[in-house]
Amino acid sequence: MSRENTGSEHGRAGRRERGARNTGPLTTQLPRLTNRFAPVDILSPEQVERILDAAYALLETDGMKILSPRARQAYAAHGALVDEATQMVRLGRDIVEAMLAKAPGSFVLHARNPERDLHVGGNVVNFGPVNGAPNIRDLDRGRRYGDLEAFRDILKITNGLGLLHWQGGVVVEPVDVAVPVRHLEMYRAHIELSDLVWAARGVGGVQARDALALSAIEHGCSIETLAERPTLMTVTNVNSPRVVDEDILDSIMIMAEHGQCVVITPFTLMGAMAPVTLAGALVQQTAEALSIIALCQMLRPGAPCVMGGFTSNVDMKTGSPAFGTPEYVNAALATAQLGRRLGVPVRTSAVNASPAPDAQATWETSFSLWAAIMSHSHLINHAAGWLEGGLSASLEKIVIDAELLRGWAEILKPVEFGDDEIALDAIRGVAPGGHFFGSPHTLARYENAFYRPVLSDWSNFENWRDAGERTATDRALDVWKKTRNAYVPPPLDPAVREAVDAYIARRKEEIGG
Amino acid sequence: MSRENTGSEHGRAGRRERGARNTGPLTTQLPRLTNRFAPVDILSPEQVERILDAAYALLETDGMKILSPRARQAYAAHGALVDEATQMVRLGRDIVEAMLAKAPGSFVLHARNPERDLHVGGNVVNFGPVNGAPNIRDLDRGRRYGDLEAFRDILKITNGLGLLHWQGGVVVEPVDVAVPVRHLEMYRAHIELSDLVWAARGVGGVQARDALALSAIEHGCSIETLAERPTLMTVTNVNSPRVVDEDILDSIMIMAEHGQCVVITPFTLMGAMAPVTLAGALVQQTAEALSIIALCQMLRPGAPCVMGGFTSNVDMKTGSPAFGTPEYVNAALATAQLGRRLGVPVRTSAVNASPAPDAQATWETSFSLWAAIMSHSHLINHAAGWLEGGLSASLEKIVIDAELLRGWAEILKPVEFGDDEIALDAIRGVAPGGHFFGSPHTLARYENAFYRPVLSDWSNFENWRDAGERTATDRALDVWKKTRNAYVPPPLDPAVREAVDAYIARRKEEIGG
């Protein structure tokens, strides 16, 4: 018989001895995280070169369809072969490699709170929230279109739980705000509710220019100064296969020209928008991303760029996207490996395709999160609150993800110990068959000895049953409500606040929203 | 705006094009798994040596309380200092190291089906089921004491889902069978329902001897032959801190003397049965495990042994055990690293302390499973169906775990590709902005291109809602029922079956159960 389950008896004895103490969840802001583990490589060096060779060949012989005349001009000016009739741009490997050489391997995006500057590159691990969801879900109000209240709730909850290293952009689509001015309300919420780096909307030149203007106000500087001291990112996609539309290019070009960070992620679902094979999808993903990184460097050498990977499979029964699958894991690990070879930081995601914030959402997110972290990705997007392949943001899922993210943050801490932790004297001080609950070594340390969970319930079955048999998802409802209601935004200079409001009021009048 | 959620539109288009195909879950038996990744090390070489130095010091100056006179004799005969009054056994480092040198670094346990022999050591990853649970749970019948029907159901479901590399021992406690003969019914079920390696009950000499006798019948050989060609393991615990009781020692000694595998796992919950610090718990765990591995080698040089790690923390609010925590992850990674240094295979677990088979059970299991796999543990116990810190076996949890285990098995496959997978021609064959659903490259491959999930539902929200809003846990009920009802046991020679039944009938009469 295994004796392992007898531990709970010891546990109950221990509780009686020690009495109740305040050991609630830790929700202080996660620090900057550094990965102490070696990256998990899945490709051989030869496999990496084969994928790169094919990606370069694709760019050179076939190219990308670039739907912006201004972008095509920039490509042509740097030696690309541009066919204006087809809008196809073909790029030689020599051109792309020369541009890549200008892209920084690491950089810093500045937050209003300097302690929360976003370091991108090296071994730094950064978490960002759900992005781009059209719907909001919670157990109280069900599933509905996103609105500004939900947008602000997500900011309050993710910041209140201390989970993020950057604040995201469109955490949920606030469809109650008219499209032409929607981005302004999102930017106002970012500045008001958080002091982290935030993201411009990834589509549209107007949206990019307003982000620059508001970020300059937030940081008390000019737009020209922002270029030397970047504060913003745009997180956007290629219209895979091999097209980039004009609205996306406008956003990318304006951000790059102003020295802000462009995170470019091809949308390469295997079998749908990319080949059904992993290697083929990686070839296409790499080619598409490199074409945009090259463009950014043409417009402003040294502009900070991040290569995104979103390659996953589709459900072969329904054609729906699948995430957190073995294919996703392999693609994320390979993407970061390609990024290391190319010398550019990498973005992946912690994603799932579950229709509910349940066990499936959790295992799919767990798979994608370990791959994202152990790959040494630098920006891990969608890491809090993403559900249904991105069609919904879920407030309960934010709390579930809090446990995943805070757990990983704890695992990434270095293990350090000395004689006190080796604890030979403490072991000698407990008789064989005794216990350590009352050991002075335990009593001196137990209150802060262990990770304190956000959501885990470790009570025994009887207590759990008598408390209403609430699953982790049920309990998450309580956590987000309490977190949202208790949230206190970080300090914001009233003059800055006033200037932000004035800018937005003026722009709303101009736009006529 | 992120465009990532638009993928489902492509997906729906794809479904219409392709029509319905049979792409149900893959539940064929998992093959032998080899870990293609480097192990994740968390200790520096100096830290490893510090822990070993302290463990050896503990064995030398303080020792273990060994509650079997026969075991103490064996220790004394090999130079240990034995105090019969206190039953304490002190072991010099030289003795332990000399014994360790005799322990095999890898070995094979033979299954009735030679294709399913259990390879222990090197880079091989093996999964075993829940063990030792007193209760059974499922959504239909709720939580209740285990019985023989539940025991047999677990064997049918885990084998039907093809998850395991060894069959476990007491997957759930069949309390409807009288204790003195309970092990006989368990062994009969193992032989009848599976052709994998199974485990003797980890406590009691009678139970070990009956396991040997029945295994010899199953394999058509003598007990003496079994010693040269081991078939069995016993998975048992130290009564931490630093005690091993006589029933456990009887099981260990009989198995070791007959050349069968002893998996010895100290039960070192930090702050309860071990120091509150990771380093201290590892010191104690290592010392306790080494004392038993040394004993096995004294009794039979070369006896196959596995060093187990079960170190985790307790909930500091309640004193209850916690599993799948950052502390558990660190302990599992460190245990396997210590095992590599010592040259013995390692056992860890995929465990959780959740009161329900929900999101919490899933994230805790996901954390412990990645640590177990990436640590290069050789036996991963409790990997299907464990719940509530081991107080219950859950049938729905087996199905959730099936997705985790099969997902990992897929991830561990090597990535191989050639020009066909690089797919340059396929990419060129799809116009920019087109899609790959109809590409000949896709059509030739899509049916077997991707991992086919056991339980994941990737349908859209509306379909999921209209089908009853069933969570993954709800759906797992259907999967285990279908699997159990469809299960066909592997071939068993009728003569063997008859001999097994005759042996058990005779033993029952002798025992008087």
Side-chain angles (χ1 to χ4, degrees), chain A residues 1-5 7-8 11 15 18 23 36-37 40 42 47 50 54 58 61-62 132 134 137 143 201-203 237 239 241-243 245 267 270-277 279-280 284 310 313-321 325-327 330 347 353 355-356 358-360 362-364 366-367 370 382 388 391 403-404 407-408 410-411 415 417 419 421-422 424 427-428 430 432-437 441 446 449-451 455-458 461-462 464 471-472 475, chain B residues 1-5 7-8 11 15 18 23 36-37 40 42 47 50 54 58 61-62 132 134 137 143 201-203 237 239 241-243 245 267 270-277 279-280 284 310 313-321 325-327 330 347 353 355-356 358-360 362-364 366-367 370 382 388 391 403-404 407-408 410-411 415 417 419 421-422 424 427-428 430 432-437 441 446 449-451 455-458 461-462 464 471-472 475:
Chain A
M1 186 193 72
S2 165
R3 295 278 168 106
E4 286 160 4
N5 54 46
S8 58
R15 176 168 50 163
R18 284 200 318 278
T23 49
R36 63 182 165 123
F37 302 118
V40 172
I42 66 156
Q47 287 177 319
R50 285 197 70 176
L58 186 66
T61 60
D62 301 81
R137 276 173 80 162
R143 186 180 191 263
R201 190 166 195 128
V203 180
N237 297 117
N239 316 87
R242 293 194 288 136
V243 178
D245 70 37
F267 193 44
M270 297 157 64
M273 297 80 107
V276 75
T277 50
Q284 186 186 316
F310 207 73
N313 55 312
V314 296
D315 178 1
M316 278 312 185
K317 282 194 289 191
T318 65
S320 298
T325 57
E327 289 77 17
N330 281 339
R347 167 248 155 136
D358 62 355
Q360 179 183 335
T362 307
W363 80 62
E364 291 178 343
S366 295
F367 271 124
W370 94 256
H382 305 311
E388 292 174 44
L391 290 175
E403 203 77 276
L404 293 174
W408 268 103
E410 192 73 19
I411 292 164
V415 169
F417 57 79
D419 287 342
E421 288 73 35
I422 288 273
L424 258 184
I427 300 174
R428 287 168 174 151
V430 172
H435 65 73
F436 290 75
F437 285 118
H441 185 266
Y446 82 88
F450 304 137
Y451 170 75
L455 182 58
S456 288
D457 182 348
W458 293 328
F461 176 80
E462 291 76 12
W464 173 79
T471 66
R475 301 190 305 268
Chain B
M1 186 194 73
S2 166
R3 293 280 168 104
E4 285 159 4
N5 53 46
S8 58
R15 175 169 51 163
R18 286 200 316 279
T23 49
R36 62 182 166 121
F37 302 119
V40 172
I42 67 156
Q47 288 178 319
R50 285 197 70 177
L58 186 66
T61 60
D62 300 82
R137 276 173 81 163
R143 186 180 191 263
R201 188 166 195 128
V203 180
N237 296 115
N239 316 87
R242 293 194 290 133
V243 178
D245 70 37
F267 193 43
M270 297 157 65
M273 296 81 107
V276 75
T277 50
Q284 185 185 317
F310 207 72
N313 54 313
V314 296
D315 178 0
M316 278 310 182
K317 282 194 289 189
T318 64
S320 297
T325 57
E327 289 76 19
N330 281 338
R347 168 247 154 139
D358 62 354
Q360 178 183 335
T362 307
W363 78 65
E364 291 178 341
S366 295
F367 270 124
W370 94 255
H382 305 311
E388 291 174 46
L391 291 175
E403 203 76 276
L404 293 173
W408 267 104
E410 192 73 17
I411 291 164
V415 169
F417 57 81
D419 286 343
E421 288 73 33
I422 288 273
L424 259 182
I427 299 174
R428 287 168 174 150
V430 172
H435 64 75
F436 290 75
F437 287 117
H441 185 264
Y446 83 87
F450 305 136
Y451 170 76
L455 182 58
S456 288
D457 181 347
W458 294 326
F461 175 80
E462 292 75 12
W464 174 79
T471 66
R475 301 190 305 269

Side-chain angles (χ1 to χ4, degrees), chain A residues 20 37 39 55 57 89 107 201 304 337 339 368 373 417 468 510:
Chain A
F37 302 118
V89 172
F107 53 86
R201 190 166 195 128
Q337 199 176 348
S368 50
I373 291 176
F417 57 79
E510 289 168 6

